[in-house]
Amino acid sequence: MTDLFQVPWSDYRSDLLDALWRTLSYTVVSFVGAVLLGLAVALLRLSRAWPARAVAALYTELFKNIPLLAIIFLSYFGLASAGIRLDVFTAGCLSLVVFYAAYLSEIFRSAISGVHTGQTEAGQALGLGRVGIFGHIVLPQAVRQALPGTNTMLVDLLKSTSLLVTVSAAELMSEGRLITSSTFRALEVYLVISAIYFALCYPLSQLLLLLERKVRAGVPLSPWRRRRLRAARALLAQDAPGATAGTDVKAGAV
């Protein structure tokens, strides 16, 4: 075992930190883009216009059935041969966005469709428009249903950034390959890189699981909703003494 740990890791600390930062940057940017694109595609799938549904379905089926590695090669090498040159970061994020947006669109579509139509009818009875119904009634309920699948996609996207090693994206796996080429200690290097990925993914998955439990329990997450909940509790507390007094008066009259 003493022969296993012979890499001078202190010499590579700054490079590993830079690679870690780049990995996190790929993850955050790509996930935000995938969520936005996935939501747009999901809404197109639910549109009343059949051309919009057809385009969205074609996109979803296309990118769900093409390997992510092939998409990375097309974004970085394929577009360059066609005269469209993207830097590594843009090509990597674009690949992750279009790939994971296809899966997220299915999760979002299923979650939105799972909201009972009676909720929409109730919003219409209250005089809300389509945007108001979607933003205040449908979307909050759909988020609760979509959260487990979305959380899984986020952790999977973080791990999939390792595939960007094929285009030398300077993320963790690329840095591991560089350290291996200079030290020839492949087992030790990739064990450490794997441990770093585990240290990133496991706490993230546990935090997302905790978030999912809080949302299912009805805990308000946004400051606006927390303020509204406190205001509602204050109103109920003010009404409670009056209700008690009214009950006592009725009891005395009897």
Side-chain angles (χ1 to χ4, degrees):
M1 290 296 294
T2 56
D3 295 336
L4 182 61
F5 299 102
Q6 294 183 358
V7 175
W9 290 107
S10 59
D11 297 341
Y12 301 103
R13 183 180 295 113
S14 61
D15 295 330
L16 283 172
L17 290 176
D18 291 339
L20 175 61
W21 171 252
R22 189 166 289 266
T23 296
L24 296 177
S25 300
Y26 278 114
T27 302
V28 173
V29 173
S30 301
F31 183 71
V32 171
V35 167
L36 295 177
L37 180 58
L39 181 59
V41 174
L43 294 177
L44 289 177
R45 290 289 299 272
L46 297 171
S47 174
R48 297 177 180 177
W50 72 264
R53 295 199 306 270
V55 171
L58 177 63
Y59 169 86
T60 302
E61 296 303 323
L62 180 65
F63 286 101
K64 278 172 56 181
N65 293 283
I66 297 178
L68 176 57
L69 190 58
I71 297 175
I72 294 172
F73 283 176
L74 285 171
S75 300
Y76 190 67
F77 299 112
L79 292 179
S81 64
I84 304 174
R85 298 187 178 277
L86 302 177
D87 60 87
V88 176
F89 187 82
T90 303
C93 289
L94 177 63
S95 304
L96 293 168
V97 166
V98 297
F99 181 79
Y100 281 94
Y103 288 93
L104 287 172
S105 68
E106 290 292 280
I107 295 173
F108 296 157
R109 180 179 65 86
S110 176
I112 295 172
S113 300
V115 178
H116 197 276
T117 55
Q119 302 290 327
T120 302
E121 295 171 356
Q124 293 172 347
L126 293 173
L128 295 175
R130 294 182 63 182
V131 177
I133 291 173
F134 181 78
H136 296 288
I137 298 177
V138 176
L139 186 60
Q141 298 181 66
V143 167
R144 294 174 183 269
Q145 300 184 40
L147 203 56
T150 305
N151 292 344
T152 301
M153 287 293 104
L154 173 56
V155 177
D156 191 70
L157 190 153
L158 173 56
K159 292 185 293 184
S160 294
T161 57
S162 60
L163 291 176
L164 298 177
V165 65
T166 55
V167 292
S168 300
E171 32 63 58
L172 279 172
M173 192 60 70
S174 297
E175 185 60 33
R177 186 175 65 175
L178 292 175
I179 297 175
T180 300
S181 64
S182 58
T183 61
F184 301 101
R185 307 287 299 179
L187 178 60
E188 178 181 348
V189 171
Y190 289 123
L191 279 175
V192 171
I193 296 297
S194 299
I196 294 175
Y197 274 109
F198 180 83
L200 290 174
C201 293
Y202 182 74
L204 176 61
S205 63
Q206 295 303 306
L207 286 174
L208 293 174
L209 183 60
L210 178 62
L211 174 64
E212 179 185 339
R213 290 172 179 171
K214 286 183 175 293
V215 170
R216 286 190 174 183
V219 177
L221 300 179
S222 65
W224 178 73
R225 289 187 178 275
R226 284 196 291 268
R227 286 196 298 268
R228 291 194 64 181
L229 182 61
R230 286 196 295 266
R233 287 174 176 171
L235 288 174
L236 290 174
Q238 292 175 2
D239 293 340
T244 304
T247 303
D248 293 340
V249 169
K250 291 180 181 179
V254 173

